[in-house]
């Protein structure tokens, strides 16, 4: 979602620079079967062209009509969308979930430039929008922060793109790189072997020269980085894993059979505490019972997504989200 949000911000900035009016919508809260999660962005140009999404289409359709009509609206404003009677003032969500969406008019693109600069530097950024007067403040964010409504403010966290470092070129790497880029990952590749140099030239992938241990240490991996060893060369894979398992990378995997994985664990055991070594996914990916390179890549990416979204027990679970009725909310909090 971070990559798509940055794309929406970039488009909104370009529209604003070109002289168009732009309304930005942000999912502030979501519950139930809501189609998008907090932080999702939608930008609507004054002529109805849009970028991004905050629902399955019903919210977008309603607000495209309002923006095109030049309707005078109080900005910023908070609107709730949920299942309800047909005569409700705003469209219902057929999925039955609940969304709280903040709508605002972009009056300056300076804050967008700053967020894009910070995320390009692989830094987290927090944007604080005052719902009473529309003022905006930017601060650094911590990995634990999340998009939220609090005390009459919309707090939105913008992160850099998710990264995937592949160690070892080949057919699986080619398939995995293509799939990961479709999901917005920045894909990096390391393979110092001369014989694999032609395979290292993958579309959209940044090649990092040098041995895997040096590449990992100079990257360095952060909580938005995944590292997958695919070289089939124990020396290269182990060099990458020694650094990866000591890093903040959210996912670390290595290709190989169960027998190969057991041998690898024994080689690595002297260098790690048991809980550190348990972070390693090996054999890498979900067990789909396949040997097809594309399907293996899909299995790896599926497990990465599950870990990133905290759906696997190794990273814990998601907490429940609250629901509320559908209504338009006041912009400023009550004095009490």
């Amino acid at each position: 979602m971070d990559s798509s949000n940055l794309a929406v911000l970039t488009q909104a900035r370009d529209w604003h620079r070109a002289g168009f009016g732009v309304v930005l919508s942000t999912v502030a809260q979501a519950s139930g079967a809501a189609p998008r999660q907090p932080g999702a962005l939608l930008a609507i140009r004054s002529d109805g062209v849009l970028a991004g999404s905050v629902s399955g289409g019903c919210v977008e359709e309603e607000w495209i009509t309002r923006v095109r009509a030049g309707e005078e609206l109080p900005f910023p404003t908070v609107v709730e969308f949920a299942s309800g009677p047909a005569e409700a003032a705003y469209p219902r969500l057929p999925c039955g979930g609940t969304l709280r969406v903040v709508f605002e008019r972009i009056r300056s693109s300076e804050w967008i430039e700053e967020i894009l600069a910070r995320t390009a530097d692989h830094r987290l950024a927090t944007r604080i929008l005052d719902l009473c007067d529309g003022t905006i403040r930017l601060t650094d964010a911590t990995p634990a922060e999340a998009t939220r409504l609090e005390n009459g403010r919309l707090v939105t966290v913008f992160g850099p793109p998710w990264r995937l470092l592949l160690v070892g070129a080949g057919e699986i790497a080619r398939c995995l790189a293509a799939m990961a880029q479709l999901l917005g990952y920045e894909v990096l590749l390391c393979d110092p072997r001369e014989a694999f140099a032609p395979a290292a030239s993958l579309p959209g992938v940044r090649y990092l020269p040098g041995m895997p241990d040096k590449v990992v240490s100079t990257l360095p991996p952060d909580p938005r980085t995944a590292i997958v060893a695919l070289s089939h060369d124990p020396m290269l894979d182990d060099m990458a894993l020694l650094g990866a398992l000591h890093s903040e990378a959210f996912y670390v995997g290595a290709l190989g059979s169960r027998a190969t994985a057991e041998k690898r664990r024994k080689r690595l055991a002297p260098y790690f505490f048991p809980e550190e070594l348990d972070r390693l996914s090996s054999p890498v990916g979900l067990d789909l019972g396949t040997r097809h390179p594309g399907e293996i890549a899909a299995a790896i990416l599926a497990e990465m997504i599950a870990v990133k979204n905290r759906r696997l027990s190794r990273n814990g679970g998601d907490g429940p989200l609250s629901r509320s009725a559908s209504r338009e909310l006041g912009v400023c909090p009550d004095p009490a």
Side-chain angles (χ1 to χ4, degrees):
M1 185 173 69
D2 298 282
S3 296
S4 62
N5 277 349
L6 296 178
V8 172
L9 287 182
T10 300
Q11 185 64 80
R13 177 203 62 189
D14 293 345
W15 287 342
H16 183 269
R17 282 178 174 178
F20 289 98
V22 183
V23 172
L24 184 68
S25 314
T26 306
V27 176
Q29 293 177 341
S31 63
R36 298 301 306 274
Q37 293 302 302
L41 296 181
L42 165 71
I44 307 175
R45 205 168 70 179
S46 52
D47 59 356
V49 178
L50 59 82
S53 68
V54 292
S55 78
C58 48
V59 173
E60 287 84 349
E61 183 179 4
E62 167 74 13
W63 280 81
I64 287 173
T65 300
R66 300 180 76 170
V67 170
R68 275 179 174 168
E71 184 176 340
E72 290 296 326
L73 299 164
F75 288 113
T77 190
V78 186
V79 181
E80 285 195 6
F81 301 87
S83 56
E87 63 272 14
Y90 291 96
R92 295 175 296 166
L93 294 180
C95 58
T98 300
L99 289 176
R100 253 182 163 180
V101 183
V102 174
F103 296 87
E104 61 183 291
R105 192 177 299 281
I106 293 180
R107 306 188 185 282
S108 169
S109 61
E110 290 183 4
W111 66 268
I112 299 179
E113 294 282 7
E114 179 62 23
I115 285 177
L116 293 177
R118 292 188 187 206
T119 54
D121 195 33
H122 230 74
R123 296 162 56 196
L124 287 166
T126 297
R127 174 181 181 260
I128 303 171
L129 171 68
D130 191 304
L131 298 177
C132 294
D133 59 19
T135 56
I136 295 170
R137 181 165 58 92
L138 301 181
T139 65
D140 289 330
T142 65
E145 286 192 85
T147 296
R148 61 197 183 276
L149 282 175
E150 62 177 20
N151 303 322
R153 303 178 304 168
L154 170 66
V155 181
T156 312
V157 179
F158 293 94
W162 296 86
R163 296 186 297 187
L164 170 60
L165 171 61
L166 302 176
V167 177
E171 188 64 11
I172 295 175
R174 184 186 67 80
C175 295
L176 184 52
M179 294 178 186
Q181 287 181 85
L182 289 175
L183 296 183
Y185 280 82
E186 175 189 6
V187 181
L188 315 170
L189 175 64
C190 169
D191 194 329
R193 299 171 296 182
E194 292 184 6
F196 284 83
S201 299
L202 300 176
V205 175
R206 181 157 61 99
Y207 179 74
L208 301 179
M211 298 301 288
D213 57 335
K214 296 295 184 182
V215 168
V216 171
S217 65
T218 58
L219 194 55
D222 62 13
R224 290 171 176 262
T225 303
I227 300 174
V228 179
L230 302 169
S231 77
H232 291 284
D233 184 326
M235 183 182 71
L236 294 181
D237 287 347
D238 286 4
M239 290 174 69
L241 297 175
L242 284 170
L245 290 171
H246 281 304
S247 76
E248 294 184 290
F250 77 90
Y251 179 86
V252 180
L255 190 67
S257 66
R258 295 188 184 280
T260 298
E262 185 58 32
K263 293 177 182 177
R264 179 184 294 118
R265 290 183 67 91
K266 290 180 179 179
R267 290 197 306 270
L268 296 177
Y271 304 97
F272 297 98
F273 292 112
E275 59 271 18
E276 291 176 322
L277 197 52
D278 285 344
R279 295 182 58 214
L280 176 62
S281 175
S282 183
V284 67
L286 302 181
D287 184 0
L288 301 184
T290 182
R291 294 188 178 184
H292 186 280
E295 293 179 349
I296 293 173
I300 295 171
L301 191 57
E303 187 177 50
M304 279 174 50
I305 294 170
V307 172
K308 180 176 74 71
N309 293 339
R310 298 182 180 178
R311 299 297 183 184
L312 296 184
S313 59
R314 73 182 71 173
N315 278 348
D318 294 325
L321 295 167
S322 61
R323 292 178 60 91
S324 54
S326 175
R327 64 184 184 277
E328 185 163 6
L329 303 177
V331 173
C332 296
D334 293 332

